[in-house]
Amino acid sequence: MNNHDFIHFVIARLFTMVIEFASFYMVVLLCEWFAAKRKYNIFKRACFITAVTFPMITIVIWTMIFSRHGLLY
């Protein structure tokens, strides 16, 4: 891998991370809006946001682990 390919890899990886972060942040904001609309207290809001985002984050982490070891091919 030469420098040109490495720079493209780094830019693509950073772009992917920014997109993932933005999508997770939008999901959290959507959950917060829904919880505020239902007038949940702070504990119910935290539980609701955790219940929605934890499976998504788990799937992303599992995908990264499995793809690193070549188990998704």
Side-chain angles (χ1 to χ4, degrees):
M1 180 183 298
N2 57 17
N3 284 340
H4 188 67
D5 292 337
F6 182 72
I7 290 172
H8 281 290
F9 172 76
V10 169
I11 290 172
R13 191 69 175 156
L14 285 175
F15 182 71
T16 304
M17 289 172 53
V18 167
I19 294 296
E20 286 178 0
F21 176 77
S23 63
F24 286 142
Y25 188 66
M26 293 300 288
V27 168
V28 168
L29 287 179
L30 184 66
C31 291
E32 185 66 36
W33 171 78
F34 183 78
K37 186 177 173 184
R38 298 276 182 157
K39 297 184 177 159
Y40 290 159
N41 61 12
I42 193 74
F43 181 72
K44 285 184 181 179
R45 284 183 187 197
C47 288
F48 179 69
I49 292 171
T50 303
V52 171
T53 58
F54 185 70
M56 293 173 56
I57 293 172
T58 304
I59 288 171
V60 167
I61 291 172
W62 281 354
T63 304
M64 288 189 310
I65 290 170
F66 291 151
S67 65
R68 182 170 294 168
H69 295 294
L71 300 174
L72 292 178
Y73 300 117

